Amino acid sequence: MLLQNEEQVLKYIENLIPDRSEAFKEIEQYAVEHDVPIMELVGIETLLQLLRMHQPKKILEIGTAIGYSALRMAEALPECKVVSVERDEQRHNKALENVKTMNMSSQVFLIKGDALEVEHLVREHGPFDVLFIDAAKSQYRKFFDIYSKMLSPNGVIFTDNILFHGLVAEEKIESRNLRQLIRKIKEFNIWLMEHPDYHTAIMPVGDGLAISKKRG
């Protein structure tokens, strides 16, 4: 049964979440002011709780942006190393600044480059216990194919934005470019759910979070 007042429920849950540090609040505010996409609050809190349960030692993130999720993961898992890849120079530089400001340079390692082209650099830091995909939506399948090979035997893959503001359930989308992007996301979701090597569940939190665990 779907809730009649989903927005009110979401707001209720958000109000229950303890305040982040001032440093994280500043990053969140920067993201709003500069139109930088970061994980929605309920989504990131859900991800962090799942990571606490899994207790990974190494996480690979595809899509750093300004370092918000990488730093949140590092804070939640003090013994974990987070390697994150970002192709946009301005966002990469801001992420470097945020990592330095929060004194997490020994725990968070940033790689500048297109994730489709820096496989050799990433491989030096593997294998990884968790892969977190949160970059160009049209390339999700390629990211999954390339970097799932670097997972440890009990590795888990989290993929964000797979519901894309609920548009995956819309029948008509006016914008041609947006329609093509949504089609690619829907195709990826089907491919992922039918993947012979992974069990996958989709959680309708944040902007949609897929959790994929190796079979067997």
Side-chain angles (χ1 to χ4, degrees):
M1 178 179 178
L2 294 177
L3 297 171
Q4 295 288 327
N5 53 346
E6 288 185 3
E7 287 189 15
Q8 293 95 318
V9 170
L10 178 62
K11 194 66 178 176
Y12 171 76
I13 296 173
E14 289 177 344
N15 289 334
L16 287 175
I17 296 172
D19 275 347
R20 280 75 61 213
S21 67
E22 287 303 315
F24 280 124
K25 287 183 179 179
E26 288 179 11
I27 297 175
E28 291 168 1
Q29 186 60 36
Y30 179 95
V32 171
E33 293 174 356
H34 294 83
D35 197 27
V36 178
I38 61 174
M39 283 193 79
E40 296 179 24
L41 190 55
V42 174
I44 186 71
E45 293 294 334
T46 301
L47 174 64
L48 294 179
Q49 188 71 345
L50 292 169
L51 290 174
R52 292 185 188 103
M53 295 167 66
H54 189 59
Q55 286 294 306
K57 295 301 181 184
K58 283 186 182 180
I59 296 173
L60 171 62
E61 177 185 50
I62 305 301
T64 314
I66 54 176
Y68 179 72
S69 53
L71 289 165
R72 292 292 311 270
M73 291 188 289
E75 181 194 52
L77 301 162
E79 303 301 317
C80 181
K81 177 180 179 181
V82 181
V83 177
S84 190
V85 181
E86 175 59 48
R87 68 179 182 180
D88 184 90
E89 185 172 3
Q90 184 176 354
R91 291 180 179 179
H92 171 77
N93 290 337
K94 185 62 179 178
L96 285 172
E97 179 185 321
N98 289 332
V99 169
K100 184 177 180 180
T101 298
M102 297 190 70
N103 298 314
M104 288 194 178
S105 299
S106 62
Q107 195 179 351
V108 178
F109 184 83
L110 304 180
I111 295 175
K112 165 68 175 64
D114 189 321
L116 299 178
E117 301 172 354
V118 295
E119 178 183 356
H120 61 293
L121 297 177
V122 175
R123 190 176 298 278
E124 296 175 4
H125 300 274
F128 302 94
D129 305 303
V130 165
L131 167 60
F132 177 43
I133 303 175
D134 188 17
K137 317 307 171 223
S138 61
Q139 303 295 339
Y140 269 12
R141 181 169 175 174
K142 290 183 180 178
F143 296 148
F144 193 104
D145 281 336
I146 292 172
Y147 294 106
S148 61
K149 297 183 178 73
M150 299 185 191
L151 278 181
S152 58
N154 292 315
V156 177
I157 301 174
F158 296 96
T159 311
D160 195 29
N161 304 121
I162 49 89
L163 298 181
F164 205 75
H165 316 300
L167 292 177
V168 292
E170 290 291 331
E171 292 294 330
K172 294 182 179 180
I173 299 174
E174 297 298 327
S175 167
R176 180 174 179 271
N177 290 338
L178 183 57
R179 191 163 61 245
Q180 289 178 339
L181 176 59
I182 297 302
R183 177 178 56 80
K184 289 183 179 181
I185 294 174
K186 292 170 74 171
E187 288 173 352
F188 170 78
N189 289 344
I190 293 171
W191 174 82
L192 184 58
M193 294 297 288
E194 295 177 350
H195 200 297
D197 299 329
Y198 289 87
H199 291 291
T200 296
I202 292 177
M203 299 184 68
V205 295
D207 199 23
L209 185 67
I211 308 167
S212 305
K213 181 74 172 63
K214 282 187 176 181
R215 295 179 183 268

